[in-house]
Amino acid sequence: KFIDASKVKRYVGVDLNEAMLEEARKKLPQLPFDARVVRSDGHALPFSDASFDTVVGSLCLCAMEHPGKALREMLRVCRPGGKVLLVEAGIAEKPIVRWGQRQLGVVPNPTHEWEFAYRDDNDVLALLRACEGLKVDKVQTRGMGNWYLVWASHSDSE
């Protein structure tokens, strides 16, 4: 399982877009745990260091101007030993597919960011490797290898 919802005690959602937060607010009363949403930039989260046991991002890094900085910020608010779980789109893991993406002009698609609100050319594995203090526990790919499920943890133990 990517995440066991029965173990969630509290939830804080973050988005910079107020319209997205309004949609999320409509769903909060239905949740079986305490939940709230906060308007904030993912490059500078308004939380103290080590505030969360688990940080979950769904199409976050591919929507950020500086994905490496956003990933470091996710790690900063995650407690030592805590989990960072991601669902991200990016360039394919397999070299032959990556080559095909580039040759066919599929990636990067300059209109993709405006049409779908995320970038399709992040090198997800390179971002993970470059994030000091992040231990990648497991990566699964989907599609043609350009969709990533990432299980990672804060490598600093308490």
Side-chain angles (χ1 to χ4, degrees):
K1 254 185 180 180
F2 193 60
I3 192 165
D4 185 351
S6 69
K7 293 184 178 180
V8 175
K9 304 272 190 274
R10 283 180 316 168
Y11 168 85
V12 180
V14 175
D15 204 299
L16 190 55
N17 185 317
E18 189 59 40
M20 293 297 285
L21 293 172
E22 283 302 317
E23 288 301 312
R25 283 186 190 103
K26 295 175 190 175
K27 299 175 182 180
L28 297 181
Q30 304 162 27
L31 297 175
F33 42 79
D34 180 40
R36 67 186 173 104
V37 292
V38 176
R39 185 168 191 263
S40 178
D41 183 345
H43 297 99
L45 296 170
F47 309 109
S48 301
D49 294 359
S51 295
F52 299 96
D53 294 330
T54 303
V55 177
V56 179
S58 177
L59 298 178
C60 290
L61 301 179
C62 59
M64 296 286 179
E65 186 175 356
H66 304 287
K69 182 176 181 180
L71 183 58
R72 288 188 301 277
E73 194 63 2
M74 289 177 180
L75 189 62
R76 180 188 67 77
V77 300
C78 185
R79 72 166 172 76
K83 299 293 180 190
V84 177
L85 307 174
L86 303 169
V87 177
E88 289 294 330
I91 55 176
E93 171 185 33
K94 295 181 178 143
I96 189 69
V97 178
R98 200 179 274 213
W99 177 85
Q101 287 175 305
R102 299 264 188 234
Q103 291 301 313
L104 294 171
V106 177
V107 174
N109 178 343
T111 64
H112 195 273
E113 189 172 353
W114 297 107
E115 292 174 8
F116 301 104
Y118 67 88
R119 295 181 175 142
D120 58 354
D121 63 345
N122 275 344
D123 186 337
V124 175
L125 298 177
L127 285 168
L128 297 172
R129 283 191 299 271
C131 187
E132 189 175 328
L134 184 73
K135 177 182 173 280
V136 178
D137 301 313
K138 180 179 175 182
V139 175
Q140 288 183 355
T141 58
R142 299 285 191 264
M144 291 179 40
N146 60 323
W147 285 91
Y148 295 83
L149 296 173
V150 178
W151 290 261
S153 53
H154 196 300
S155 64
D156 295 337
S157 40
E158 296 181 311

